[in-house]
Amino acid sequence: MKAVSLSLSRLEGDLRMADRAKGTIQQYLASVRRFEEFLGTDLAEADQESIRRWVDHLRTQPIGPERLRCHYSALKFLYGRTLGQPEKVAFISMPRKDSPLPTVLSPAEVQRVLDAFLVAKYRVFFALIYATGLRIREASLLQTSDIDSMQQVIHVRHGKGGRDRLVPMHSKLYGLLRAYYKHERPPQPWLFTTKGGRPLCHETARRALLCASAVAGIGKVVTPHMLRHSFATNLLDHGTDLRKIQVVLGHGSIRSTTIYTQVSPSQIAAVRSPLEDLTV
């Protein structure tokens, strides 16, 4: 068991060195622990046939493609990087990743959700996300010094993949943030905090949004990412170039941004029908 524990310890260290997200590290470690129990021997000594049996076992379980990808990625990282035995997992092919179309809200629906908040802090927090397309983690880690009123932008310093960027801050959002700050006076340096002065808790904020969406009665379970999708679609509807939307959202690839053309009513309505060329 000592050798197995050492492999897990090294795996955790390598994941941290690779700057993987906390949730990813926890999922990989949990997956490898399950494999360790299935294997019953030293992870480093497992042959490819043993790994194949584990993969076959996973495929019989009632889990979706995303969860399978997580298990396979954990194996590939363990043997490809931590144990230096990539040939053992070379046979693994990733399940096809589903790409469902994002759900977006109309401006009227967003208004009803924002009006349903009982606590002003959460109303401003999610108004900010809708106004800028920030991810919930990015919004929760904003500092007061990130607000640049002179250039009318917000500096996002904790973006996905470590990429910093700027997002626009128009007058209505600035006025909202300014009024909120004067009323709340959050402890420095954060813009949104818990009562203990720490950055706003994601889960608490999500629960507040769920309650507001229920009270709003729009028939949708609203998530922070849904507001981000709605922001991007709104930009597209108003003629913003896809490349600019990519930059503002912090997408590493334009391919992630083009999905919004599939849910934008104005983009779809602009497609010319061949029936227009006929006399009917």
Side-chain angles (χ1 to χ4, degrees):
M1 289 299 296
K2 291 183 178 179
V4 172
S5 298
L6 180 59
S7 295
L8 282 170
S9 177
R10 286 177 176 172
L11 173 62
E12 182 174 5
D14 289 345
L15 287 166
R16 294 186 186 283
M17 190 182 301
D19 200 26
R20 296 298 173 90
K22 183 179 179 180
T24 301
I25 294 175
Q26 292 173 343
Q27 289 177 341
Y28 279 24
L29 290 175
S31 176
V32 172
R33 284 193 190 99
R34 283 186 58 190
F35 175 48
E36 171 191 341
E37 293 171 3
F38 177 89
L39 194 62
T41 187
D42 188 338
L43 289 167
E45 295 178 0
D47 57 17
Q48 189 180 91
E49 189 57 36
S50 299
I51 299 173
R52 283 183 180 274
R53 285 198 300 273
W54 171 241
V55 169
D56 288 340
H57 169 74
L58 289 173
R59 293 174 63 187
T60 66
Q61 302 304 299
I63 53 179
E66 276 300 313
R67 190 62 187 146
L68 268 182
R69 288 175 66 88
C70 179
H71 283 297
Y72 293 174
S73 296
L75 289 173
K76 282 182 170 289
F77 196 100
L78 172 67
Y79 286 101
R81 298 179 67 167
T82 297
L83 298 178
Q85 301 169 343
E87 68 283 353
K88 291 185 177 181
V89 290
F91 71 94
I92 295 178
S93 297
M94 289 294 181
R96 189 170 182 175
K97 188 174 182 179
D98 293 333
S99 298
L101 292 178
T103 301
V104 299
L105 305 173
S106 68
E109 288 174 325
V110 174
Q111 184 70 65
R112 287 175 62 177
V113 171
L114 293 179
D115 289 344
F117 280 104
L118 299 177
V119 179
K121 174 173 64 177
Y122 294 115
R123 181 176 187 269
V124 175
F125 181 75
F126 286 109
L128 166 72
I129 288 179
Y130 176 64
T132 59
L134 293 183
R135 301 175 178 92
I136 188 170
R137 178 180 180 275
E138 295 168 342
S140 67
L141 292 177
L142 282 179
Q143 300 184 18
T144 54
S145 58
D146 295 328
I147 309 300
D148 189 337
S149 59
M150 294 294 292
Q151 297 194 59
Q152 295 185 309
V153 295
I154 296 174
H155 293 253
V156 184
R157 307 184 192 278
H158 302 277
K160 189 174 182 179
R163 294 185 294 270
D164 292 355
R165 70 184 189 281
L166 299 175
V167 297
M169 179 185 63
H170 298 299
S171 57
K172 182 174 288 188
L173 175 59
Y174 178 61
L176 192 64
L177 291 175
R178 189 173 182 183
Y180 153 78
Y181 185 80
K182 287 178 67 176
H183 181 267
E184 292 284 333
R185 289 294 178 183
Q188 293 292 322
W190 310 110
L191 185 58
F192 297 97
T193 64
T194 63
K195 290 182 179 179
R198 298 175 62 84
L200 194 64
C201 173
H202 298 180
E203 291 309 310
T204 303
R206 288 179 193 277
R207 285 196 296 271
L209 180 58
L210 283 175
C211 290
S213 65
V215 171
I218 62 173
K220 296 176 181 177
V221 179
V222 183
T223 66
H225 230 62
M226 198 180 292
L227 294 174
R228 175 173 159 88
H229 292 323
S230 302
F231 162 79
T233 306
N234 189 274
L235 288 186
L236 196 59
D237 284 343
H238 286 81
T240 306
D241 180 74
L242 267 179
R243 170 59 182 159
K244 291 180 180 177
I245 298 175
Q246 177 195 356
V247 171
V248 171
L249 290 177
H251 284 162
S253 168
I254 192 70
R255 292 176 60 187
S256 300
T257 315
T258 55
I259 192 172
Y260 295 112
T261 61
Q262 299 178 55
V263 293
S264 165
S266 67
Q267 294 289 311
I268 295 171
V271 176
R272 190 173 187 276
S273 168
L275 184 64
E276 298 300 314
D277 297 326
L278 305 181
T279 302
V280 292

